[in-house]
Amino acid sequence: MRNRKKTKVKLLLEVLSDGQWHLGDELATKVGHRFGDAVDKARDKQNQPIETDRVGVGQKHKYRLLNV
């Protein structure tokens, strides 16, 4: 039996599944440094409603999965 790695999209959706806001720094740690591609794929190919917002003086981005 092969041990398959989780895709970045799957890791992203696991983190965002709680419906809470998550900063990009957290996603970079848990999903991978280039998590933006996973966000785009989740939105475009899997029709996941991921919301993006900016927070703070440095305009960091935060993300959450909307509960539909």
Side-chain angles (χ1 to χ4, degrees):
M1 212 173 177
R2 280 184 8 199
N3 190 8
R4 294 185 180 209
K5 285 176 62 175
K6 292 182 181 178
T7 65
K8 285 191 175 190
V9 172
K10 187 163 184 116
L11 290 171
L12 174 73
L13 294 176
E14 284 179 5
V15 174
L16 297 180
S17 67
D18 63 2
Q20 301 298 312
W21 286 105
H22 296 272
L23 288 174
D25 295 341
E26 177 188 356
L27 296 179
T29 301
K30 293 182 177 177
V31 177
H33 179 66
R34 296 184 56 131
F35 66 88
D37 184 54
V39 172
D40 289 341
K41 286 180 180 176
R43 284 178 176 154
D44 297 340
K45 295 182 180 176
Q46 296 187 9
N47 296 318
Q48 296 292 332
I50 298 174
E51 186 176 16
T52 305
D53 196 13
R54 292 185 180 170
V55 64
V57 177
Q59 295 295 301
K60 291 189 177 195
H61 288 84
K62 59 183 182 177
Y63 303 83
R64 73 175 173 176
L65 182 63
L66 297 175
N67 295 325
V68 180

